[in-house]
Amino acid sequence: MAGSNGTAGEVSFIYQQIFIQIMDAGPNTKISVIILISLFFFFVNCVMLFALGSKHIFQETPRYILFGHMLMNDSVLLLLTTTMYTMGAYYLQVTRALCTLLVVISYCTFRNGPLTLALMSLERYVAICFPLRHCNIATPKRTGIAIGIIWFLSSINIMTDIIFVLIVNPSLFLDVFFCTQERLFLYKWQLDKTQGFDVLYFVSVAVIIIFTYISIMITARSVSSDKDSAKKALRTVLLHLIQLGLCLTSFLYATINKALYTVTDSSSLFINLRYLNFLIVLMLPRCLSPLIYGMRDEAVWPLFKYYFCYRSGKVRPSIYVH
């Protein structure tokens, strides 16, 4: 499909050639490893969500509501990413309508991660810099509204692409093809637009997290009382910055794939490198990010260990939460 702005066909072609080569490689063992890792971390996230749901205070505290949203979001992303990778490995073709549904959910959950981190940092900023107003500003209801705004912001770009296809040629949704986000693009400017949105998201989130970190640091130095809470908040926001870095590595996945495809001469070498790229750059950062956050939380981590060990008497729930 030609156009003055160029088409996405040239982008899609490279992906199609990649996945045909992967199909020929018979990746049963590699796919099994990915599925097992995905299911393990999905189970970990579910246990942590169960731990959050076991205490009523978690359901009323904005910080833990946001953490629960991050867990659910990354769990859905993990399952969808594994599903789409498996479909790619075996070159399974689906209708454009089903592909659109899968891509929309994975696209939104993928970008919800950094936006949720920004919101969690802002919540800590309000708690430390405006402690007397924190209960009025950060309420469960407003937290739910903020999560809705996150979903709206993350879906703007992909929804405009879907609306564009519906206007240009609705019958395209009946086509059967191999499912990737790039295959949904009709023109190259759509790919450029997506990259522009990604840059905007990350720059905005990075600015927010750095701003909250500096503000909390200044408050911690100027206020003599409750310095321990300020130091904990500083460590939390710094952790959010590290998590943002993990999210950023995930966004480099497609770029690294294209670079590997360009520089490698051997198909088998490319397939192995692409597999490691998916596992290390795309999958593990999103698996580890919620786990790292939960490990450092004095209230959640003991509860998680308690339920993860099937309520073993050797592990007792946190004494900080009642």
Side-chain angles (χ1 to χ4, degrees):
M1 188 174 294
S4 58
N5 292 324
T7 69
E10 54 199 61
V11 178
S12 302
F13 174 77
I14 186 173
Y15 282 89
Q16 184 160 343
Q17 298 307 310
I18 288 170
F19 289 116
I20 289 175
Q21 292 169 354
I22 291 175
M23 179 186 66
D24 293 339
N28 293 328
T29 302
K30 295 177 181 178
I31 293 299
S32 298
V33 171
I34 287 177
I35 292 176
L36 289 175
I37 293 175
S38 177
L39 291 177
F40 172 75
F41 281 103
F42 179 76
F43 172 74
V44 168
N45 288 352
C46 287
V47 173
M48 204 167 293
L49 275 171
F50 184 81
L52 288 176
S54 66
K55 298 291 182 178
H56 188 66
I57 191 173
F58 288 145
Q59 303 170 32
E60 296 180 344
T61 306
R63 179 159 63 104
Y64 292 113
I65 293 174
L66 292 172
F67 180 46
H69 174 257
M70 182 172 68
L71 284 171
M72 288 188 290
N73 182 83
D74 285 357
S75 297
V76 173
L77 175 62
L78 187 61
L79 290 180
L80 277 178
T81 302
T82 304
T83 299
M84 295 183 70
Y85 186 90
T86 304
M87 290 168 58
Y90 293 104
Y91 199 55
L92 300 178
Q93 300 189 22
V94 296
T95 61
R96 184 184 288 266
L98 178 58
C99 179
T100 299
L101 177 62
L102 294 175
V103 169
V104 167
I105 299 175
S106 63
Y107 181 94
C108 292
T109 52
F110 193 72
R111 283 146 186 85
N112 280 346
L115 294 175
T116 303
L117 290 175
L119 198 57
M120 294 173 78
S121 296
L122 286 174
E123 188 274 333
R124 289 293 84 197
Y125 164 74
V126 173
I128 300 302
C129 298
F130 304 98
L132 298 179
R133 300 177 58 191
H134 178 254
C135 292
N136 295 325
I137 295 176
T139 63
K141 182 178 179 180
R142 290 186 177 181
T143 303
I145 294 173
I147 291 174
I149 294 174
I150 285 176
W151 278 90
F152 172 75
L153 292 176
S154 64
S155 64
I156 290 177
N157 178 54
I158 192 69
M159 292 307 297
T160 56
D161 287 324
I162 294 173
I163 293 172
F164 177 75
V165 174
L166 285 172
I167 293 174
V168 173
N169 191 351
S171 63
L172 288 176
F173 283 99
L174 300 176
D175 293 346
V176 177
F177 62 8
F178 169 75
C179 184
T180 66
Q181 181 182 337
E182 290 75 16
R183 296 297 301 275
L184 295 180
F185 295 144
L186 298 182
Y187 298 94
K188 190 176 180 299
W189 61 262
Q190 292 177 283
L191 180 61
D192 297 334
K193 175 173 63 69
T194 297
Q195 293 173 344
F197 265 91
D198 289 344
V199 172
L200 177 62
Y201 283 149
F202 264 94
V203 170
S204 301
V205 171
V207 168
I208 290 173
I209 294 179
I210 293 172
F211 165 76
T212 55
Y213 183 83
I214 294 174
S215 299
I216 293 174
M217 183 171 59
I218 293 173
T219 302
R221 290 181 176 179
S222 60
V223 180
S224 57
S225 61
D226 204 14
K227 280 193 173 183
D228 289 339
S229 296
K231 289 180 179 178
K232 288 181 180 179
L234 272 176
R235 290 195 293 267
T236 299
V237 175
L238 182 60
L239 177 62
H240 293 167
L241 194 59
I242 295 173
Q243 289 175 293
L244 180 64
L246 291 175
C247 290
L248 180 58
T249 61
S250 300
F251 274 81
L252 296 176
Y253 169 73
T255 303
I256 295 175
N257 256 359
K258 294 175 187 177
L260 291 175
Y261 185 76
T262 303
V263 300
T264 53
D265 297 327
S266 170
S267 298
S268 59
L269 176 61
F270 169 76
I271 292 168
N272 292 328
L273 290 176
R274 182 184 180 277
Y275 174 77
L276 291 176
N277 183 34
F278 176 83
L279 195 62
I280 298 173
V281 176
L282 184 64
M283 194 173 183
L284 286 183
R286 290 305 180 95
C287 292
L288 295 176
S289 182
L291 184 61
I292 292 172
Y293 188 88
M295 286 176 64
R296 68 165 304 278
D297 192 283
E298 296 175 343
V300 175
W301 186 242
L303 274 174
F304 167 78
K305 291 190 294 183
Y306 177 70
Y307 290 112
F308 189 80
C309 297
Y310 300 101
R311 301 186 180 186
S312 170
K314 298 179 181 179
V315 179
R316 296 192 176 277
S318 173
I319 61 174
Y320 298 100
V321 182
H322 303 282

